[in-house]
Structure formats: structure tokens, C-alpha cells
Amino acid sequence: MAFSIVWSADGVLVIAIAAPPSRPEARTALRSAVRQAAAQWLSIDIDSISVESSPGQAPSLLLAGDTVGLSISHDEGLSLAAIHLHGKVGLDVMRVVQIPDWEIVARDYLGPSVAASLAACSAIERPLALAQAWTAREATLKYAGLQLAEWSDAIFDCRLQTLPVALPYVATLAC
């Protein structure tokens, strides 16, 4: 599977693939690309790398028996994976689209401050701003090992990085 490097720094590698149409095919293709990318990045044998997963749990990456941070995200047409050699990682990608009930989504999942910021945006700017806020929230939750839940003001000690993906996508990395 062909992959491209989206971002790399400080023991973190983010790769992208053009996602196959079905979610199961995208999962299989991305896991293969993760193994290939890690082998090339670290100059190790691909047979010493595996992606492990269990239903309801985030996948993990085993490199020669050691577990390292891995986060995966899919949206129609694009799949991303982030590998972090030195700790936890969260990643999310989203296609920028018009969401009719954005006010409810923002209030329930992104919190009052983000909801107010989105309300202040023009209708043309709002879809991009919403996608940026959503991917930041999802990446942070994945970093913390939590599933999507309604808004809480819990603070997570992570750094957010907007990733350089082409529109109509937005992606955020949490380390």
C-alpha cells in the first residue's frame, strides 16, 4: 500500500493513504501502510512490526516487542495514522462539510467557549472552524484513551498540532 508522510518530528510520524471505499478495506490497508512506514522510518525488519487491536480498544503498535503510541483516523477517501515512539498520541481527520445542527453539536461536544466562537464565525467560515475544533477534541480524547463523550471541562496535558492535509480535510495531532 502506497503511503505519504504528512508530518514527522520528535519521534512522531504521521502517514496518509487514499482510503479504499469500505471501512474494513481502509483499516486493513492503513495497518499495512503503518508497518511499511515504521520499517522504513526506523530501518527495521517489517516482520518485527505488528498492529494489534481488540474490539472497542484503540490499536497498538508493537515494534520488536515494545509497544509504542499509535492513533488511527479515517474519513471518506483519506486515512491517517500517527506513530509516537515516546508516548501517547491522538489523531483525528474530518472532511470539512456544512453541518446543519452545528449549534447543538458544538454545545454538546465542544463546550460553551467553542460554541460561542463558532457562533461568531460567518456561515462561510464556520464549517472549517467546526472541523478544526472537532478534530482537536477527538485527537485530545484519543490521546487520553477516552471515547467520544459529551463536553466536560477536563484538562488534558497534551500539545495539539494542526496537520498539513489538503482541503476538504482537516486533521489534528495530540501528543
Side-chain angles (χ1 to χ4, degrees):
M1 168 58 60
F3 64 87
S4 61
I5 296 174
V6 172
W7 191 78
S8 178
D10 302 325
V12 179
L13 179 70
V14 179
I15 65 163
I17 65 166
S22 79
R23 181 68 65 126
E25 289 173 315
R27 284 185 180 130
T28 299
L30 189 60
R31 281 163 169 73
S32 174
V34 163
R35 291 181 66 230
Q36 291 173 20
Q40 289 176 17
W41 183 42
L42 300 170
S43 299
I44 61 176
D45 182 15
I46 195 167
D47 291 330
S48 67
I49 302 168
S50 65
V51 177
E52 305 292 324
S53 59
S54 300
Q57 300 293 316
S60 59
L61 184 63
L62 299 175
L63 299 175
D66 293 326
T67 302
V68 299
L70 176 65
S71 187
I72 290 174
S73 186
H74 305 276
D75 203 335
E76 183 182 324
L78 181 66
S79 292
L80 300 177
I83 301 166
H84 189 232
L85 297 177
H86 309 297
K88 301 183 293 186
V89 65
L91 172 71
D92 194 53
V93 63
M94 179 179 178
R95 180 183 292 268
V96 177
V97 295
Q98 198 65 256
I99 298 177
D101 60 348
W102 69 266
E103 292 169 297
I104 295 167
V105 170
R107 183 191 67 229
D108 289 352
Y109 292 96
L110 303 175
S113 175
V114 172
S117 293
L118 291 170
C121 289
S122 72
I124 291 173
E125 297 170 321
R126 192 173 298 118
L128 177 61
L130 177 60
Q132 291 168 329
W134 185 269
T135 61
R137 174 79 172 147
E138 279 272 4
T140 301
L141 290 171
K142 288 179 179 183
Y143 168 85
L146 301 173
Q147 294 184 354
L148 179 63
E150 289 191 0
W151 173 252
S152 81
D153 58 0
I155 297 173
F156 303 102
D157 186 23
C158 65
R159 182 182 81 237
L160 295 175
Q161 171 72 45
T162 300
L163 296 172
V165 295
L167 286 174
Y169 300 100
V170 170
T172 303
L173 176 74
C175 294

